[in-house]
Amino acid sequence: MATVQQVGYRRRPTRAAYWRRRAVALVVLVLALAGALTLLAPNSGAAPAREPEPLLLVVGPGDTVLDLVRPFAPEGSDPRAFAAEVLEASDLDGRAVRPGAVLRLPRS
């Protein structure tokens, strides 16, 4: 008796299943491209607010604090008051300023 060998029959997908698979593949591809572009693109979003770094001045021989900070004092303000703020920000006493001392001028 001869045996009948069954050949694996594969049904063709319906037209709806075909297009559904293509749509899912397209969505996956678009999401993958968007993710890759997001990772590769420079950061165009708003940067987190950071306090500006202070400007550093080194006191030289014969320099006075007032002479050093006068060009950086806000316009219309007393440079002596600004010099006092700089000394306070630098943790220095006005009498203890020696050549080589570093003054921190706040950037505004």
Side-chain angles (χ1 to χ4, degrees):
M1 181 165 167
T3 60
V4 178
Q5 186 177 17
Q6 284 192 339
V7 177
Y9 176 72
R10 194 169 159 181
R11 235 176 84 204
R12 286 183 65 173
T14 63
R15 186 172 274 205
Y18 175 82
W19 287 111
R20 188 171 41 246
R21 289 178 186 164
R22 295 301 181 266
V24 168
L26 182 64
V27 168
V28 168
L29 180 66
V30 168
L31 290 176
L33 286 175
L37 289 176
T38 304
L39 291 175
L40 297 176
N43 186 6
S44 59
R50 292 191 313 173
E51 190 173 313
E53 295 184 23
L55 178 65
L56 302 177
L57 293 176
V58 179
V59 178
D63 288 339
T64 64
V65 174
L66 189 58
D67 290 338
L68 287 173
V69 300
R70 189 176 306 222
F72 301 100
E75 194 172 322
S77 68
D78 183 15
R80 293 174 294 187
F82 184 66
E85 290 176 26
V86 169
L87 287 172
E88 184 178 323
S90 302
D91 293 328
L92 294 173
D93 182 13
R95 296 168 288 170
V97 177
R98 304 268 184 249
V102 178
L103 301 177
R104 295 179 185 273
L105 276 73
R107 294 222 178 173
S108 49

